[in-house]
Amino acid sequence: MNTILLQYAVEVERTGSITQAAANLYMDQPNLSKAIKTLEENLGAPVFRRTSKGVVPTDKGRIFLQYAKNILEQIEEMEELYRPSREGEAKLRLSIPRATYISTAFARLIERMADETAMDVWLKETNWEETLRGVECGEYHMGIIRFPLSMERYCIQRLKEMGLAFELVLDFSSRVLMSASHPLAGKKEIFLTDLESGIEIVHGDGGGRGGKRPENKKKGTARRIYVFERGSQFDILRAVKESYMWVSPMPREILSAYKLEEKICADGNRQCLDVLVYREGSIRTVWEKLFLEELRRVKEELLLV
């Protein structure tokens, strides 16, 4: 259906007058009447009824017009997504794994952006497949993906096939995050067997998992909590003393603020890579450069052991 006809119908409803709507749309009244008639013929039912006081929607017309307004709003949002930046606007679209050190760098960047008069910033935390699709189609300027070292050859080949450029951000050994009051928090070294009776927090979309799972001796005894919103993990870790999760290195400020401990698991850690991806030939904006600058600073502060 022609969206121009939807715009005409919505304007007629807003003004309650074919004549006034035509004036607002900078068109002749007969042409607008003809367009509304065409719309109604396409629908097979009238959208408006004429009264002595103007035009009003029919019962079905009211429902149709609500759908029309929703469609026009969505189209406007899609166009806004790809509209060129206004002069002086701070703009950044970033897709990342659920990694606290990355979100900390992002938060510091926003602090630097706070005085900007215009800002259009998007941050998506998701798995690596979603990030690749978003960067490939241009929805996001750049992204960071995470994968185990064992998948490096496959992932690099995938990036090359998609025409995406890439740079290593962090090569790390996964560690176990837990509350400072966790029964294992005082141990210098932990093993997978120590985690068998614990409650594992896992990201529900498959993103961000970095270590081996302990093998429970009894089938059906695994205890897991699947979360999709990263902030919930800290609340659960603090509230449920036996809970834990596999993570990338954590900034000291986060460990301190939430009273958490990170531990190396002697027989369960997995080597992982965080890799920056972006479209080949793309030019980095000043805000992308500043984000990467903040990311470098946070990396220098990590407890890399």
Side-chain angles (χ1 to χ4, degrees), residues 1-8 38-39 42 64 71-72 75:
M1 181 177 291
N2 192 331
T3 57
I4 295 296
L5 295 180
L6 300 185
Q7 294 174 0
Y8 290 170
T38 298
L39 174 64
N42 290 341
F64 168 78
I71 290 170
L72 293 173
I75 291 173

Side-chain angles (χ1 to χ4, degrees), residues 191-233:
F191 298 86
L192 286 174
T193 52
D194 295 321
L195 301 173
E196 285 183 0
S197 61
I199 301 173
E200 183 183 8
I201 302 173
V202 183
H203 290 133
D205 64 357
R209 206 175 179 286
K212 297 179 182 178
R213 283 195 170 116
E215 295 183 7
N216 297 80
K217 295 178 181 179
K218 295 181 181 179
K219 290 185 178 180
T221 59
R223 299 198 291 173
R224 299 190 185 100
I225 301 172
Y226 293 88
V227 298
F228 290 82
E229 195 281 307
R230 187 173 53 84
S232 301
Q233 69 193 36

Side-chain angles (χ1 to χ4, degrees), residues 252 295-304:
R252 292 182 180 86
L295 187 61
R296 177 184 54 78
R297 289 176 178 170
V298 173
K299 283 167 50 183
E300 292 173 353
E301 301 168 9
L302 295 178
L303 297 172
L304 293 174

Side-chain angles (χ1 to χ4, degrees), residues 121-163:
V121 179
W122 294 55
L123 176 67
K124 183 177 185 179
E125 293 187 333
T126 186
N127 58 55
W128 72 288
E129 288 284 357
E130 289 287 336
T131 292
L132 290 183
R133 285 195 289 268
V135 175
E136 181 185 33
C137 73
E139 181 180 0
Y140 290 89
H141 299 147
M142 60 184 182
I144 297 175
I145 62 172
R146 170 172 298 171
F147 51 84
L149 183 62
S150 59
M151 288 181 61
E152 181 180 18
R153 180 176 297 182
Y154 166 78
C155 292
I156 296 304
Q157 181 61 35
R158 178 81 182 279
L159 291 172
K160 290 178 178 178
E161 291 173 354
M162 297 177 75

Side-chain angles (χ1 to χ4, degrees), residues 72-282:
L72 293 173
E73 287 175 3
Q74 289 175 5
I75 291 173
E76 184 177 354
E77 289 174 1
M78 286 190 294
E79 291 175 345
E80 180 64 28
L81 187 65
Y82 294 99
R83 190 167 290 145
S85 301
R86 291 174 285 274
E87 185 177 355
E89 182 179 53
K91 195 164 188 175
L92 177 65
R93 292 197 177 101
L94 181 66
S95 185
I96 64 174
R98 293 183 178 89
T100 302
Y101 83 92
I102 301 175
S103 62
T104 297
F106 180 81
R108 293 182 184 180
L109 173 66
I110 297 301
E111 281 188 282
R112 297 175 68 168
M113 290 175 126
D115 293 332
E116 296 297 315
T117 55
M119 187 186 302
D120 181 17
V121 179
W122 294 55
L123 176 67
K124 183 177 185 179
E125 293 187 333
T126 186
N127 58 55
W128 72 288
E129 288 284 357
E130 289 287 336
T131 292
L132 290 183
R133 285 195 289 268
V135 175
E136 181 185 33
C137 73
E139 181 180 0
Y140 290 89
H141 299 147
M142 60 184 182
I144 297 175
I145 62 172
R146 170 172 298 171
F147 51 84
L149 183 62
S150 59
M151 288 181 61
E152 181 180 18
R153 180 176 297 182
Y154 166 78
C155 292
I156 296 304
Q157 181 61 35
R158 178 81 182 279
L159 291 172
K160 290 178 178 178
E161 291 173 354
M162 297 177 75
L164 297 177
F166 54 91
E167 300 172 18
L168 178 65
V169 173
L170 187 66
D171 179 344
F172 66 92
S173 176
S174 60
R175 60 276 326 274
V176 181
L177 184 68
M178 60 185 66
S179 166
S181 60
H182 192 286
L184 299 176
K187 295 189 66 173
K188 291 184 178 180
E189 190 174 43
I190 63 173
F191 298 86
L192 286 174
T193 52
D194 295 321
L195 301 173
E196 285 183 0
S197 61
I199 301 173
E200 183 183 8
I201 302 173
V202 183
H203 290 133
D205 64 357
R209 206 175 179 286
K212 297 179 182 178
R213 283 195 170 116
E215 295 183 7
N216 297 80
K217 295 178 181 179
K218 295 181 181 179
K219 290 185 178 180
T221 59
R223 299 198 291 173
R224 299 190 185 100
I225 301 172
Y226 293 88
V227 298
F228 290 82
E229 195 281 307
R230 187 173 53 84
S232 301
Q233 69 193 36
F234 297 127
D235 294 328
I236 298 171
L237 286 168
R238 288 193 299 177
V240 184
K241 69 176 183 178
E242 294 182 355
S243 63
Y244 70 92
M245 71 184 304
W246 295 96
V247 296
S248 53
M250 301 286 290
R252 292 182 180 86
E253 62 195 78
I254 301 299
L255 294 173
S256 176
Y258 288 92
K259 297 181 179 179
L260 300 172
E261 296 279 347
E262 60 176 42
K263 298 286 183 181
I264 293 293
C265 183
D267 57 350
N269 296 307
R270 180 184 294 176
Q271 201 68 19
C272 295
L273 303 177
D274 281 354
V275 173
L276 177 74
V277 296
Y278 50 94
R279 297 175 80 178
E280 193 76 55
S282 62

